[in-house]
Amino acid sequence: MLTRYIKVNSLNLEPEKIEETAKILKEGGLVAFPTETVYGLGADAFNPQAVRNIFKAKGRPQDNPLIIHIWSNEQLDKLVKNIPQKAHVLMNNFWPGPLTVVLPKKEGVMSEATSGLDTVGVRMPDHPVALKLFQRSGVAVAAPSANISGKPSPTGGLHVLKDLAGKIDVVLDGGSAKVGVESTVVDCTGEIPVILRPGGVTKEEMEEVVGEVLLDPALHRKTFKPKSPGMKYSHYAPDGIMYLVVGKSIKSLAEKLADISMKRYQAGYKVALLAFEDTLALIGEKPYIKLSLGSRDNLSITAAKIYGLLRQCDRLKIDFIIAEGCPRKGMGLAVMNRLEKASGGKIIRLQD
Ligand code: TXA
Ligand code: MG
């Protein structure tokens, strides 16, 4: 299959390009599109063959449900049975935006998209190209992130092309994704909302508008069966072996990170150290590659660059990635979740 690569200006939205792509989507094609979080790989959510093709193109396990993307609240009627009060509040406050709300699904929503669950995750992304594309296609759009299953998510059109060229119909490139990590997935089927996957809307921001919000225990304890099926698979993994180092003291972190990196480097491996600016400053000049996670005081910027950095390590054919962790507060929760997954759980915890 020949994949068309179409660049589109997010400001004037170049209607002919959107129209052409919307038609492909409507007719059952696979279209990668930009969102504010990461790029999505979309298909008509009510076309079973098109949805099956998404799983095939990504190599995605069948039991991992897709998020259904909408451009208008009116579409909810066809997708969900009822909307509890707290779900309403969350949608009103954070849509369009990086929040996926899991609700009881309506009969008629295909099990191909929801992997047989009786719930469905719905999201209205905050990106003019995505919203216009959906609206012009007239369909609800089932879409996972547009990467090969298990690899770091795509935050630019060229990331998608690298993973999926030849496997999908179109890549609509609308520039780089500004949030950089996926949406927060929140289960609203119970009394208290439960975060199944931390993401672009923080727990703290949600608590300000709905009161108590819980974290799925699977997010901190490996022994629990996660409720979000996608959370059990290996994810966001770079080609190299990755270690995540966590601790409180920046001095101890710097020493440990530098020590591990140097040992691997001296053993002849290609090493990349991923750390915050102040840590890198303490470590100073080194012969291996050093990449900045930005300032630990602005983890939104870290989130925006994290997948790009992991992909950069792949391009540089890095054997070992040694990464610094951060506190799980605000955006730190989503950043740490991605780093932990990317490292495959190889975490070194410092005592002080
Ligand atoms: O920001 C995002 O959410 C991006 C963009 C493209 O919208 N999409 C995305 O999709 O990250 P994906 O498929 O890579 O991740 C969807 C996550 C998975 O962990 C999946 O298991 C979970 O959402 N999920 C989807 N439907 C669910 C449901 N009904 N119940 C529980 N978890 C669900
Ligand atoms: Mg994904």
Side-chain angles (χ1 to χ4, degrees):
M1 179 192 295
L2 185 70
T3 300
R4 296 181 53 194
Y5 176 73
I6 304 176
K7 258 191 134 108
V8 58
N9 185 317
S10 296
L11 293 176
N12 64 17
L13 289 179
E14 303 176 273
E16 347 55 79
K17 293 184 182 172
I18 303 268
E19 216 57 52
E20 195 181 336
T21 315
K23 188 160 173 277
I24 295 170
L25 194 54
K26 187 176 169 184
E27 289 171 355
L30 296 189
V31 172
F33 58 88
T35 83
E36 80 282 29
T37 57
V38 301
Y39 274 67
L41 176 59
D44 175 357
F46 287 90
N47 178 333
Q49 189 53 51
V51 171
R52 280 195 287 271
N53 288 342
I54 290 183
F55 285 86
K56 214 158 72 194
K58 280 188 58 120
R60 180 179 177 104
Q62 295 287 342
D63 66 347
N64 191 2
L66 306 179
I67 294 169
I68 298 189
H69 296 68
I70 59 174
W71 75 90
S72 144
N73 281 338
E74 282 154 37
Q75 293 174 282
L76 284 167
D77 246 10
K78 269 182 84 177
L79 299 171
V80 305
K81 261 197 196 135
N82 62 299
I83 305 175
Q85 177 57 20
K86 286 183 180 168
H88 260 300
V89 174
L90 289 170
M91 292 180 326
N92 286 341
N93 278 276
F94 300 110
W95 277 6
L99 184 74
T100 295
V101 181
V102 172
L103 294 167
K105 82 162 190 182
K106 220 169 208 172
E107 305 79 56
V109 178
M110 298 176 339
S111 58
E112 276 85 354
T114 59
S115 302
L117 298 177
D118 52 11
T119 55
V120 59
V122 190
R123 154 163 137 85
M124 188 187 292
D126 183 17
H127 197 292
V129 172
L131 293 174
K132 198 68 179 173
L133 171 73
F134 302 165
Q135 190 198 5
R136 296 311 302 159
S137 72
V139 301
V141 178
S145 50
N147 51 287
I148 294 282
S149 207
K151 292 270 113 197
S153 300
T155 49
L158 294 177
H159 295 165
V160 181
L161 212 53
K162 164 112 197 341
D163 277 18
L164 299 175
K167 298 180 172 167
I168 64 177
D169 296 289
V170 184
V171 176
L172 201 52
D173 188 336
S176 52
K178 65 176 196 295
V179 176
V181 292
E182 294 87 342
S183 62
T184 302
V185 178
V186 61
D187 182 349
C188 290
T189 58
E191 180 52 34
I192 303 171
V194 182
I195 294 178
L196 306 181
R197 176 182 71 181
V201 174
T202 66
K203 180 169 183 279
E204 294 84 348
E205 285 167 334
M206 288 162 64
E207 281 175 335
E208 261 177 47
V209 298
V210 284
E212 191 182 11
V213 172
L214 302 172
L215 280 183
D216 184 353
L219 290 170
H220 26 224
R221 272 180 262 173
K222 289 220 173 66
T223 46
F224 281 84
K225 186 178 184 295
K227 210 169 167 191
S228 173
M231 298 306 282
K232 70 173 183 278
Y233 293 106
S234 128
H235 260 325
Y236 322 121
D239 295 335
I241 296 171
M242 178 164 159
Y243 287 98
L244 178 61
V245 184
V246 293
K248 285 209 180 75
S249 143
I250 299 174
K251 187 164 163 285
S252 312
L253 278 165
E255 277 166 13
K256 190 67 179 178
L257 289 161
D259 180 52
I260 306 175
S261 301
M262 198 54 158
K263 283 193 176 124
R264 295 289 186 286
Y265 175 79
Q266 284 169 341
Y269 292 108
K270 247 188 135 169
V271 173
L273 169 65
L274 254 65
F276 289 99
E277 268 154 20
D278 47 2
T279 311
L280 289 176
L282 276 180
I283 291 173
E285 276 307 303
K286 292 292 172 200
Y288 46 79
I289 293 164
K290 295 188 297 169
L291 299 170
S292 171
L293 291 172
S295 154
R296 71 182 72 244
D297 299 325
N298 191 346
L299 295 175
S300 297
I301 292 179
T302 311
K305 61 199 280 188
I306 189 70
Y307 287 134
L309 288 171
L310 294 176
R311 282 179 176 263
Q312 186 179 349
C313 288
D314 285 352
R315 274 200 307 281
L316 295 170
K317 304 211 177 325
I318 298 295
D319 301 305
F320 282 96
I321 301 170
I322 317 299
E324 177 178 6
C326 61
R328 294 156 196 276
K329 279 209 212 95
M331 281 299 283
L333 189 64
V335 168
M336 274 301 276
N337 173 262
R338 303 317 187 265
L339 288 172
E340 283 167 2
K341 296 259 164 185
S343 73
K346 292 188 286 303
I347 304 172
I348 298 164
R349 292 173 210 280
L350 304 183
Q351 290 319 317
D352 55 348

